[in-house]
Protein backbone atom coordinates (compact mmCIF):
# COMPACT_ATOMS: atom_id res chain seq x y z
CA UNK A 1 0.00 0.00 0.00
CA UNK A 2 2.72 2.39 1.05
CA UNK A 3 4.73 1.59 -2.02
CA UNK A 4 1.59 2.01 -4.08
CA UNK A 5 1.05 5.47 -2.63
CA UNK A 6 4.66 6.51 -2.86
CA UNK A 7 4.94 5.30 -6.41
CA UNK A 8 1.76 7.19 -7.19
CA UNK A 9 2.36 10.35 -5.19
CA UNK A 10 6.08 10.93 -4.98
CA UNK A 11 6.63 11.79 -8.60
CA UNK A 12 3.47 13.90 -8.57
CA UNK A 13 4.54 15.75 -5.43
CA UNK A 14 7.95 16.34 -6.91
CA UNK A 15 6.37 17.59 -10.12
CA UNK A 16 4.01 19.85 -8.19
CA UNK A 17 6.86 21.22 -6.08
CA UNK A 18 8.97 21.68 -9.19
CA UNK A 19 6.10 23.53 -10.82
CA UNK A 20 5.73 25.86 -7.83
CA UNK A 21 9.46 26.60 -7.75
CA UNK A 22 9.29 27.22 -11.48
CA UNK A 23 6.31 29.57 -11.13
CA UNK A 24 8.01 31.34 -8.23
CA UNK A 25 11.15 31.91 -10.31
CA UNK A 26 9.07 33.21 -13.20
CA UNK A 27 7.26 35.44 -10.72
CA UNK A 28 10.54 36.85 -9.41
CA UNK A 29 11.75 37.29 -12.98
CA UNK A 30 8.60 39.20 -13.85
CA UNK A 31 8.77 41.38 -10.78
CA UNK A 32 12.37 42.35 -11.45
CA UNK A 33 11.56 42.98 -15.12
CA UNK A 34 8.69 45.27 -14.27
CA UNK A 35 8.91 49.02 -14.17
CA UNK A 36 7.54 50.91 -11.18
CA UNK A 37 6.45 54.47 -10.52
CA UNK A 38 8.53 54.81 -7.32
CA UNK A 39 11.78 53.40 -8.70
CA UNK A 40 13.86 56.46 -7.72
CA UNK A 41 11.90 57.31 -4.54
CA UNK A 42 14.87 56.58 -2.28
CA UNK A 43 17.81 56.54 -4.72
CA UNK A 44 17.01 59.93 -6.28
CA UNK A 45 13.97 61.63 -4.76
CA UNK A 46 14.61 64.84 -6.77
CA UNK A 47 14.93 63.14 -10.15
CA UNK A 48 11.40 63.88 -11.35
CA UNK A 49 11.31 67.52 -10.23
CA UNK A 50 14.74 68.13 -11.77
CA UNK A 51 13.57 66.75 -15.12
CA UNK A 52 10.30 68.70 -14.98
CA UNK A 53 11.95 72.08 -14.37
CA UNK A 54 14.47 71.50 -17.16
CA UNK A 55 11.69 70.50 -19.58
CA UNK A 56 9.58 73.51 -18.60
CA UNK A 57 12.50 75.86 -19.06
CA UNK A 58 13.31 74.43 -22.52
CA UNK A 59 9.66 74.72 -23.58
CA UNK A 60 9.38 78.27 -22.29
CA UNK A 61 12.25 79.16 -24.65
CA UNK A 62 10.74 77.26 -27.59
CA UNK A 63 7.30 75.62 -27.43
CA UNK A 64 8.09 73.21 -30.27
CA UNK A 65 10.72 71.56 -28.04
CA UNK A 66 7.85 69.80 -26.24
CA UNK A 67 6.91 68.09 -29.50
CA UNK A 68 10.52 67.20 -30.24
CA UNK A 69 11.01 65.62 -26.80
CA UNK A 70 7.80 63.59 -27.14
CA UNK A 71 8.95 62.25 -30.50
CA UNK A 72 12.38 61.28 -29.12
CA UNK A 73 10.74 58.85 -26.68
CA UNK A 74 8.68 57.34 -29.55
CA UNK A 75 11.75 56.91 -31.77
CA UNK A 76 13.60 55.35 -28.84
CA UNK A 77 10.87 52.85 -27.91
CA UNK A 78 10.09 51.68 -31.46
CA UNK A 79 13.70 50.64 -32.12
CA UNK A 80 14.72 47.70 -29.91
CA UNK A 81 12.68 49.01 -26.97
CA UNK A 82 12.87 52.04 -24.67
CA UNK A 83 16.59 51.84 -23.93
CA UNK A 84 17.93 55.27 -24.97
CA UNK A 85 19.68 53.66 -27.95
CA UNK A 86 18.50 56.63 -30.02
CA UNK A 87 20.77 58.95 -28.02
CA UNK A 88 24.07 57.16 -28.73
CA UNK A 89 26.54 58.86 -31.07
CA UNK A 90 28.29 56.77 -33.71
CA UNK A 91 31.32 54.82 -32.47
CA UNK A 92 34.04 52.76 -34.19
CA UNK A 93 31.92 49.68 -33.26
CA UNK A 94 28.52 50.76 -34.56
CA UNK A 95 26.68 53.39 -36.56
CA UNK A 96 24.03 54.89 -34.33
CA UNK A 97 20.39 55.63 -35.03
CA UNK A 98 20.64 59.38 -35.51
CA UNK A 99 21.50 59.15 -39.20
CA UNK A 100 18.72 56.63 -40.01
CA UNK A 101 15.95 57.77 -42.38
CA UNK A 102 13.31 58.78 -39.83
CA UNK A 103 15.86 60.67 -37.70
CA UNK A 104 18.32 62.44 -39.99
CA UNK A 105 17.71 66.19 -40.34
CA UNK A 106 14.68 65.63 -38.16
CA UNK A 107 15.41 64.45 -34.64
CA UNK A 108 15.57 67.35 -32.19
CA UNK A 109 15.97 67.87 -28.45
CA UNK A 110 19.26 66.01 -28.02
CA UNK A 111 20.91 69.07 -26.45
CA UNK A 112 18.00 69.45 -24.02
CA UNK A 113 18.41 65.81 -22.98
CA UNK A 114 22.14 66.48 -22.37
CA UNK A 115 21.24 69.43 -20.15
CA UNK A 116 18.65 67.42 -18.21
CA UNK A 117 21.09 64.53 -17.80
CA UNK A 118 23.88 66.73 -16.44
CA UNK A 119 21.46 68.32 -13.94
CA UNK A 120 20.21 64.90 -12.84
CA UNK A 121 23.80 63.59 -12.58
CA UNK A 122 24.70 66.50 -10.33
CA UNK A 123 21.93 65.58 -7.85
CA UNK A 124 22.33 61.76 -8.09
CA UNK A 125 25.39 60.59 -10.02
CA UNK A 126 25.02 57.30 -11.91
CA UNK A 127 21.47 56.57 -10.78
CA UNK A 128 18.88 57.74 -13.33
CA UNK A 129 18.88 56.18 -16.80
CA UNK A 130 18.70 58.16 -20.02
CA UNK A 131 15.80 55.91 -21.11
CA UNK A 132 13.77 56.98 -18.04
CA UNK A 133 14.67 60.63 -18.66
CA UNK A 134 13.20 60.32 -22.17
CA UNK A 135 9.97 58.81 -20.78
CA UNK A 136 9.55 61.49 -18.10
CA UNK A 137 10.49 64.34 -20.48
CA UNK A 138 7.82 63.12 -22.93
CA UNK A 139 5.13 63.19 -20.23
CA UNK A 140 6.25 66.58 -18.87
CA UNK A 141 6.25 68.01 -22.40
CA UNK A 142 2.66 66.92 -23.02
CA UNK A 143 1.60 68.38 -19.67
CA UNK A 144 3.44 71.65 -20.35
CA UNK A 145 1.56 72.06 -23.64
CA UNK A 146 -1.86 71.48 -22.05
CA UNK A 147 -2.23 67.74 -22.53
CA UNK A 148 -2.99 64.94 -20.08
CA UNK A 149 -0.72 63.67 -17.34
CA UNK A 150 -0.02 60.05 -16.47
CA UNK A 151 2.16 58.15 -14.03
CA UNK A 152 5.43 57.30 -15.75
CA UNK A 153 6.75 53.85 -14.88
CA UNK A 154 10.50 53.85 -14.20
CA UNK A 155 13.46 51.52 -13.89
CA UNK A 156 14.56 51.23 -17.52
CA UNK A 157 18.29 50.86 -18.06
CA UNK A 158 20.36 52.11 -20.98
CA UNK A 159 21.55 50.02 -23.91
CA UNK A 160 25.21 49.37 -24.60
CA UNK A 161 24.63 49.51 -28.34
CA UNK A 162 22.47 51.10 -31.01
CA UNK A 163 21.23 49.90 -34.38
CA UNK A 164 21.24 52.02 -37.52
CA UNK A 165 19.56 49.22 -39.47
CA UNK A 166 16.74 48.73 -36.95
CA UNK A 167 16.11 52.49 -36.88
CA UNK A 168 16.15 52.62 -40.68
CA UNK A 169 13.74 49.68 -41.02
CA UNK A 170 10.30 51.03 -41.88
CA UNK A 171 8.67 48.17 -39.97
CA UNK A 172 9.95 49.78 -36.76
CA UNK A 173 9.42 53.52 -37.17
CA UNK A 174 6.80 53.76 -39.93
CA UNK A 175 7.16 56.22 -42.81
CA UNK A 176 4.39 58.76 -43.55
CA UNK A 177 3.92 57.01 -46.90
CA UNK A 178 3.00 53.68 -45.33
CA UNK A 179 -0.46 52.19 -45.92
CA UNK A 180 -2.97 52.02 -43.07
CA UNK A 181 -2.59 48.22 -42.98
CA UNK A 182 1.17 48.63 -42.69
CA UNK A 183 0.82 51.18 -39.89
CA UNK A 184 -1.55 48.93 -37.95
CA UNK A 185 0.83 45.97 -38.24
CA UNK A 186 3.87 48.08 -37.28
CA UNK A 187 2.08 49.13 -34.07
CA UNK A 188 0.75 45.65 -33.46
CA UNK A 189 4.27 44.21 -33.65
CA UNK A 190 5.11 46.51 -30.71
CA UNK A 191 2.09 45.26 -28.76
CA UNK A 192 0.03 48.36 -29.49
CA UNK A 193 -3.61 48.18 -30.59
CA UNK A 194 -5.43 50.20 -33.25
CA UNK A 195 -6.85 52.31 -30.45
CA UNK A 196 -3.36 52.91 -29.00
CA UNK A 197 -2.17 53.90 -32.48
CA UNK A 198 -4.95 56.40 -33.16
CA UNK A 199 -4.54 57.93 -29.69
CA UNK A 200 -0.74 58.15 -30.05
CA UNK A 201 -1.04 59.79 -33.47
CA UNK A 202 -2.91 62.54 -31.64
CA UNK A 203 0.67 63.65 -30.84
CA UNK A 204 0.59 65.27 -34.26
CA UNK A 205 -1.49 68.02 -32.68
CA UNK A 206 1.88 69.61 -31.82
CA UNK A 207 5.14 70.05 -33.69
CA UNK A 208 6.21 70.40 -37.29
CA UNK A 209 7.08 68.40 -40.38
CA UNK A 210 9.44 69.04 -43.28
CA UNK A 211 8.25 69.68 -46.82
CA UNK A 212 9.85 66.43 -48.03
CA UNK A 213 7.36 64.52 -45.88
CA UNK A 214 4.20 66.21 -47.21
CA UNK A 215 5.09 67.40 -50.73
CA UNK A 216 3.38 64.55 -52.57
CA UNK A 217 0.31 65.00 -50.40
CA UNK A 218 -0.19 68.71 -51.13
CA UNK A 219 0.59 68.43 -54.87
CA UNK A 220 -0.86 65.08 -55.85
CA UNK A 221 -3.41 63.76 -53.39
CA UNK A 222 -7.15 64.17 -53.62
CA UNK A 223 -8.18 63.52 -50.00
CA UNK A 224 -6.95 66.96 -48.97
CA UNK A 225 -8.83 70.25 -48.62
CA UNK A 226 -7.75 72.23 -51.67
CA UNK A 227 -7.37 75.61 -49.99
CA UNK A 228 -5.34 73.96 -47.22
CA UNK A 229 -3.10 72.33 -49.85
CA UNK A 230 -2.74 75.62 -51.70
CA UNK A 231 -1.72 77.52 -48.57
CA UNK A 232 1.15 75.09 -48.01
CA UNK A 233 2.60 75.28 -51.50
CA UNK A 234 4.18 78.69 -50.95
CA UNK A 235 6.65 77.32 -48.42
CA UNK A 236 6.86 73.82 -49.90
CA UNK A 237 7.68 74.10 -53.62
CA UNK A 238 7.24 71.11 -55.94
CA UNK A 239 11.00 70.75 -55.94
CA UNK A 240 13.56 72.10 -53.50
CA UNK A 241 13.00 73.39 -49.98
CA UNK A 242 12.94 69.85 -48.56
CA UNK A 243 13.60 71.05 -45.01
CA UNK A 244 11.05 73.89 -45.01
CA UNK A 245 8.69 73.43 -42.10
CA UNK A 246 4.93 73.48 -41.59
CA UNK A 247 2.86 72.89 -38.47
CA UNK A 248 1.33 69.43 -38.17
CA UNK A 249 -1.70 71.17 -36.64
CA UNK A 250 -1.96 74.68 -38.09
CA UNK A 251 -4.90 75.67 -35.85
CA UNK A 252 -3.06 75.29 -32.51
CA UNK A 253 0.50 74.08 -33.15
CA UNK A 254 1.76 74.41 -29.59
CA UNK A 255 -1.34 73.22 -27.72
CA UNK A 256 -1.91 69.56 -26.99
CA UNK A 257 -5.64 69.39 -27.80
CA UNK A 258 -8.10 67.53 -30.05
CA UNK A 259 -7.51 69.78 -33.08
CA UNK A 260 -5.54 67.07 -34.89
CA UNK A 261 -8.68 64.90 -35.04
CA UNK A 262 -10.90 67.82 -36.08
CA UNK A 263 -8.43 68.51 -38.89
CA UNK A 264 -8.68 64.91 -40.12
CA UNK A 265 -12.48 65.22 -40.40
CA UNK A 266 -11.91 68.22 -42.70
CA UNK A 267 -9.14 66.55 -44.76
CA UNK A 268 -6.63 68.97 -43.32
CA UNK A 269 -3.86 66.72 -42.09
CA UNK A 270 -0.33 67.31 -43.29
CA UNK A 271 0.75 63.67 -43.48
CA UNK A 272 -0.77 61.04 -45.73
CA UNK A 273 -0.41 58.42 -42.97
CA UNK A 274 -2.57 60.55 -40.66
CA UNK A 275 -5.30 61.23 -43.24
CA UNK A 276 -5.56 57.48 -43.86
CA UNK A 277 -7.10 57.08 -40.39
CA UNK A 278 -10.31 58.21 -42.13
CA UNK A 279 -10.20 55.23 -44.51
CA UNK A 280 -11.30 52.36 -42.23
CA UNK A 281 -14.30 52.19 -39.97
CA UNK A 282 -12.27 51.12 -36.90
CA UNK A 283 -9.91 54.10 -37.10
CA UNK A 284 -12.51 56.59 -38.35
CA UNK A 285 -14.81 55.96 -35.38
CA UNK A 286 -11.95 56.66 -32.95
CA UNK A 287 -10.98 59.84 -34.82
CA UNK A 288 -14.60 60.94 -34.76
CA UNK A 289 -14.89 60.22 -31.05
CA UNK A 290 -11.62 61.93 -30.06
CA UNK A 291 -12.45 64.99 -32.16
CA UNK A 292 -15.33 65.85 -29.84
CA UNK A 293 -14.33 63.99 -26.68
CA UNK A 294 -11.20 65.43 -25.13
CA UNK A 295 -11.60 63.34 -21.95
CA UNK A 296 -11.58 60.04 -23.84
CA UNK A 297 -8.65 61.10 -26.02
CA UNK A 298 -6.62 62.20 -23.00
CA UNK A 299 -7.38 59.01 -21.06
CA UNK A 300 -6.56 56.74 -24.04
CA UNK A 301 -3.44 58.77 -24.84
CA UNK A 302 -2.03 58.41 -21.32
CA UNK A 303 -2.71 54.67 -21.32
CA UNK A 304 -1.11 54.24 -24.74
CA UNK A 305 1.97 56.23 -23.67
CA UNK A 306 2.41 53.90 -20.69
CA UNK A 307 2.13 50.90 -23.04
CA UNK A 308 4.61 52.44 -25.46
CA UNK A 309 6.98 53.12 -22.55
CA UNK A 310 6.80 49.43 -21.61
CA UNK A 311 8.22 48.21 -24.93
CA UNK A 312 11.12 45.82 -24.11
CA UNK A 313 12.87 47.80 -21.37
CA UNK A 314 16.25 46.65 -20.06
CA UNK A 315 15.89 45.97 -16.34
CA UNK A 316 17.67 44.26 -13.47
CA UNK A 317 21.27 43.63 -14.42
CA UNK A 318 20.92 44.12 -18.17
CA UNK A 319 22.11 47.35 -19.69
CA UNK A 320 23.72 50.13 -17.69
CA UNK A 321 23.22 53.66 -16.41
CA UNK A 322 25.05 56.03 -18.74
CA UNK A 323 26.37 59.21 -17.09
CA UNK A 324 26.58 60.67 -20.61
CA UNK A 325 23.54 59.78 -22.74
CA UNK A 326 25.58 59.99 -25.95
CA UNK A 327 28.21 57.41 -24.93
CA UNK A 328 28.18 53.89 -23.55
CA UNK A 329 30.22 53.48 -20.37
CA UNK A 330 32.75 51.37 -22.27
CA UNK A 331 33.26 54.16 -24.81
CA UNK A 332 33.66 56.69 -21.98
CA UNK A 333 36.23 54.44 -20.27
CA UNK A 334 38.16 54.18 -23.54
CA UNK A 335 38.22 57.96 -23.89
CA UNK A 336 39.37 58.32 -20.28
CA UNK A 337 42.19 55.80 -20.75
CA UNK A 338 43.16 57.69 -23.88
CA UNK A 339 43.19 61.02 -22.03
CA UNK A 340 45.22 59.53 -19.16
CA UNK A 341 47.76 57.90 -21.48
CA UNK A 342 48.11 61.12 -23.45
CA UNK A 343 48.76 63.13 -20.30
CA UNK A 344 51.26 60.49 -19.05
CA UNK A 345 53.16 60.60 -22.31
CA UNK A 346 53.44 64.38 -22.15
C1 LIG B 1 2.23 56.06 -37.92
C2 LIG B 1 3.22 56.43 -37.22
C3 LIG B 1 3.89 57.76 -37.39
C4 LIG B 1 4.34 58.36 -38.52
C5 LIG B 1 4.28 57.84 -39.95
C6 LIG B 1 4.88 59.63 -38.12
C7 LIG B 1 5.48 60.53 -38.98
C8 LIG B 1 5.99 61.75 -38.59
C9 LIG B 1 6.64 62.65 -39.50
C10 LIG B 1 6.92 62.40 -40.97
C11 LIG B 1 6.98 63.75 -38.78
C12 LIG B 1 7.71 64.98 -39.29
C13 LIG B 1 9.20 64.72 -39.27
C14 LIG B 1 9.97 65.71 -40.12
O1 LIG B 1 9.45 66.11 -41.16
O2 LIG B 1 11.10 66.07 -39.76
C15 LIG B 1 6.51 63.55 -37.43
C16 LIG B 1 6.64 64.46 -36.42
C17 LIG B 1 6.23 64.23 -35.14
N1 LIG B 1 5.76 63.04 -34.63
FE1 LIG B 1 5.19 61.44 -35.69
N2 LIG B 1 4.75 59.77 -36.76
C18 LIG B 1 4.14 58.65 -36.28
C19 LIG B 1 3.85 58.37 -34.96
C20 LIG B 1 4.12 59.21 -33.92
C21 LIG B 1 3.96 58.85 -32.54
C22 LIG B 1 3.50 57.48 -32.04
C23 LIG B 1 4.32 59.95 -31.81
C24 LIG B 1 4.35 60.13 -30.33
C25 LIG B 1 3.92 59.29 -29.44
C26 LIG B 1 4.70 60.98 -32.75
C27 LIG B 1 5.06 62.25 -32.41
C28 LIG B 1 5.49 63.22 -33.30
C29 LIG B 1 5.76 64.60 -32.94
C30 LIG B 1 5.50 65.22 -31.58
C31 LIG B 1 6.24 65.23 -34.08
C32 LIG B 1 6.73 66.67 -34.20
C33 LIG B 1 8.20 66.72 -33.81
C34 LIG B 1 8.85 68.08 -33.85
O3 LIG B 1 8.21 69.09 -34.15
O4 LIG B 1 10.07 68.12 -33.58
N3 LIG B 1 4.58 60.49 -34.01
N4 LIG B 1 5.93 62.31 -37.34
C1 LIG C 1 2.77 64.15 -58.91
O1 LIG C 1 2.41 63.17 -59.87
C2 LIG C 1 3.02 63.33 -61.14
C3 LIG C 1 2.41 62.34 -62.08
O2 LIG C 1 2.42 61.06 -61.50
C4 LIG C 1 4.54 63.18 -60.97
O3 LIG C 1 5.18 63.36 -62.21
C5 LIG C 1 5.04 64.22 -59.99
O4 LIG C 1 6.42 64.02 -59.74
C6 LIG C 1 4.27 64.14 -58.67
N1 LIG C 1 4.65 65.28 -57.85
C7 LIG C 1 4.96 65.18 -56.57
C8 LIG C 1 5.36 66.43 -55.86
O5 LIG C 1 4.92 64.11 -55.97
C1 LIG D 1 -11.57 73.79 -47.18
O1 LIG D 1 -11.23 74.65 -46.14
C2 LIG D 1 -11.75 75.96 -46.31
C3 LIG D 1 -11.14 76.85 -45.26
O2 LIG D 1 -11.32 76.32 -43.97
C4 LIG D 1 -13.26 75.90 -46.25
O3 LIG D 1 -13.82 77.19 -46.40
C5 LIG D 1 -13.76 75.01 -47.37
O4 LIG D 1 -15.13 74.83 -47.30
C6 LIG D 1 -13.07 73.65 -47.33
N1 LIG D 1 -13.35 72.95 -48.57
C7 LIG D 1 -13.94 71.76 -48.58
C8 LIG D 1 -14.17 71.18 -49.92
O5 LIG D 1 -14.26 71.19 -47.56
C1 LIG E 1 -16.44 58.15 -27.17
O1 LIG E 1 -16.10 56.93 -26.56
C2 LIG E 1 -16.36 56.92 -25.16
C3 LIG E 1 -15.76 55.65 -24.59
O2 LIG E 1 -16.00 54.56 -25.41
C4 LIG E 1 -17.86 57.02 -24.95
O3 LIG E 1 -18.14 57.01 -23.58
C5 LIG E 1 -18.32 58.34 -25.56
O4 LIG E 1 -19.70 58.43 -25.46
C6 LIG E 1 -17.92 58.45 -27.02
N1 LIG E 1 -18.20 59.82 -27.44
C7 LIG E 1 -18.55 60.13 -28.68
C8 LIG E 1 -18.79 61.56 -28.95
O5 LIG E 1 -18.65 59.30 -29.56
Amino acid sequence: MASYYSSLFTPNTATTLGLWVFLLLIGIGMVSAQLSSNFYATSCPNALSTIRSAVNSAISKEARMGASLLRLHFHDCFVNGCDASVLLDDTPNFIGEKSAGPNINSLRGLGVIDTIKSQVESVCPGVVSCADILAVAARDSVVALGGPSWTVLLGRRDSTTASFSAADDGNNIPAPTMSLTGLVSAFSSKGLSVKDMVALLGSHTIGQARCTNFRTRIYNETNINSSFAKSLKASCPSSGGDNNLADLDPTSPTIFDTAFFKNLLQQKSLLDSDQQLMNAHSTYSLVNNYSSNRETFFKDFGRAMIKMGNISPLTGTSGEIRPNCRKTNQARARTQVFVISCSLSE
Side-chain angles (χ1 to χ4, degrees):
M1 204 53 179
S3 71
Y4 172 74
Y5 269 114
S6 58
S7 69
L8 190 73
F9 275 84
T10 309
N12 271 344
T13 314
T15 315
T16 314
L17 189 69
L19 186 67
W20 278 113
V21 171
F22 179 71
L23 288 177
L24 187 73
L25 289 176
I26 294 221
I28 292 167
M30 274 167 61
V31 168
S32 70
Q34 241 161 29
L35 306 176
S36 65
S37 60
N38 59 357
F39 192 80
Y40 298 113
T42 53
S43 59
C44 191
N46 293 328
L48 296 191
S49 58
T50 306
I51 300 171
R52 188 177 57 234
S53 343
V55 167
N56 288 344
S57 121
I59 291 176
S60 68
K61 288 187 195 113
E62 188 208 13
R64 184 188 173 196
M65 190 49 70
S68 305
L69 292 173
L70 171 59
R71 186 166 183 244
L72 262 185
H73 181 45
F74 161 52
H75 283 207
D76 180 30
C77 293
F78 268 54
V79 180
N80 295 328
C82 313
D83 60 358
S85 56
V86 70
L87 301 177
L88 290 174
D89 287 340
D90 295 351
T91 73
N93 300 330
F94 60 79
I95 304 177
E97 298 170 15
K98 293 173 183 177
S99 56
N103 294 335
I104 194 163
N105 297 326
S106 183
L107 214 59
R108 302 175 78 249
L110 300 161
V112 172
I113 296 297
D114 289 339
T115 305
I116 298 175
K117 180 62 177 178
S118 68
Q119 291 178 5
V120 171
E121 283 296 297
S122 69
V123 290
C124 321
V127 172
V128 182
S129 68
C130 301
D132 279 346
I133 289 177
L134 288 176
V136 175
R139 190 268 318 267
D140 293 348
S141 293
V142 170
V143 170
L145 298 178
S149 190
W150 60 92
T151 303
V152 179
L153 298 180
L154 302 164
R156 299 169 191 80
R157 291 165 65 80
D158 299 327
S159 71
T160 52
T161 188
S163 172
F164 172 88
S165 58
D168 208 45
D169 178 348
N171 295 313
N172 288 322
I173 301 172
T177 48
M178 201 177 227
S179 69
L180 183 58
T181 324
L183 298 173
V184 168
S185 78
F187 277 71
S188 148
S189 73
K190 307 291 173 192
L192 299 170
S193 67
V194 169
K195 191 189 207 179
D196 297 327
M197 181 181 88
V198 176
L200 289 173
L201 283 172
S203 295
H204 291 166
T205 190
I206 52 175
Q208 297 184 322
R210 290 166 303 139
C211 169
T212 185
N213 282 318
F214 59 84
R215 177 181 287 120
T216 304
R217 171 151 173 76
I218 62 173
Y219 285 95
N220 273 355
E221 291 185 2
T222 50
N223 60 347
I224 186 168
N225 173 293
S226 55
S227 56
F228 174 65
K230 187 158 179 260
S231 71
L232 289 159
K233 288 176 182 168
S235 62
C236 183
S238 57
S239 72
D242 280 8
N243 293 329
N244 295 353
L245 296 167
D247 293 326
L248 283 159
D249 165 22
T251 52
S252 50
T254 59
I255 302 173
F256 196 100
D257 55 13
T258 59
F260 168 77
F261 299 106
K262 296 192 173 97
N263 296 339
L264 290 181
L265 296 178
Q266 300 167 39
Q267 302 193 314
K268 285 179 185 168
S269 79
L270 200 53
L271 303 180
D272 177 68
S273 47
D274 289 339
Q275 196 61 52
Q276 284 191 61
L277 297 178
M278 297 292 286
N279 294 355
H281 177 74
S282 57
T283 48
Y284 165 77
S285 57
L286 288 161
V287 168
N288 195 35
N289 186 308
Y290 294 157
S291 72
S292 60
N293 194 335
R294 184 176 180 264
E295 259 50 63
T296 309
F297 166 47
F298 277 14
K299 180 172 58 68
D300 290 354
F301 184 81
R303 282 185 189 167
M305 284 297 291
I306 293 170
K307 276 176 82 173
M308 188 176 89
N310 279 338
I311 301 174
S312 323
L314 298 170
T315 54
T317 53
S318 21
E320 60 186 22
I321 304 297
R322 290 180 216 141
N324 176 341
C325 292
R326 294 176 182 265
K327 289 184 164 56
T328 64
N329 293 345
Q330 203 193 5
R332 281 179 73 244
R334 249 198 317 269
T335 331
Q336 276 155 10
V337 168
F338 178 73
V339 170
I340 291 166
S341 57
C342 284
S343 56
L344 285 178
S345 67
E346 268 170 15

